[in-house]
Structures are given as C-alpha cells and as structure tokens.
Amino acid sequence: MEKMKTFFVALMVIGYFSYIFSNIGDKDISCSYYQKKTVQQKHTCSIRVSPICASNNVTYSNSCVYCFAKIALEFTLSVQHFGKCQKFKKS
C-alpha cells in the first residue's frame, strides 16, 4: 500500500512540474499538424485540459482546440498566456 501511495505522489509531482515547465518560454504554438487534410477531416481533439488564453480573450481547453480555432479564423489568433482568460466585469 505504501508503494502505491509513493507512486501516486510521484506521478502527481511529475504532472505538476511538467505543467509548470511547459508554460515557460515561447508562447507560440505550432499548428502545422492540424493543417493536414486527414486531421482536418477527423477534427477530433483529446479531452485533456491545458487551458490557453488567446488574443480574442477566449479560453481554449487545449492546443488542439486552439489550433482548429486559429485555422478557422485564418491564423489571426495568438497566445496571450497559458491558463484561463480573465473575465472582466462590466461597469
């Protein structure tokens, strides 16, 4: 039981640090894979959640969803930051 607990803690730590370090550095996401005709026809994304805030202040659930939106909007989107977009209150 102790080994299983240690395994899950290690798994959580690895997941946390991979999330933190994946958000450092370049904010550009390559969407070239999603431009392929076969990928465009399938148009399926994983349910993995790794939010991206785009220049249109919309939060996309992951890079796949972001890339399909970027392609649909003729590459006018860019990444503002990784994580959810801030919602502004109306005055």
Side-chain angles (χ1 to χ4, degrees):
M1 184 67 166
E2 190 64 32
K3 286 183 181 181
M4 188 175 262
K5 217 190 272 188
T6 304
F7 172 75
F8 283 116
V9 169
L11 192 62
M12 287 176 28
V13 168
I14 290 169
Y16 172 77
F17 283 111
S18 65
Y19 173 77
I20 295 298
F21 289 117
S22 70
N23 291 338
I24 294 175
D26 230 358
K27 288 186 179 181
D28 191 28
I29 294 176
S30 173
C31 294
S32 59
Y33 170 77
Y34 301 100
Q35 290 178 281
K36 295 177 183 178
K37 195 172 224 171
T38 54
V39 176
Q40 285 286 318
Q41 290 171 342
K42 289 181 183 178
H43 205 277
T44 55
C45 295
S46 72
I47 59 172
R48 178 183 58 93
V49 177
S50 183
I52 298 169
C53 181
S55 55
N56 60 352
N57 205 39
V58 172
T59 302
Y60 295 95
S61 58
N62 59 43
S63 59
C64 175
V65 177
Y66 166 80
C67 283
F68 280 125
K70 185 173 183 172
I71 292 166
L73 295 171
E74 299 177 352
F75 296 90
T76 57
L77 287 181
S78 61
V79 175
Q80 281 190 331
H81 60 85
F82 293 95
K84 293 182 179 180
C85 295
Q86 298 295 319
K87 299 294 181 194
F88 299 103
K89 293 182 180 180
K90 294 180 181 178
S91 299

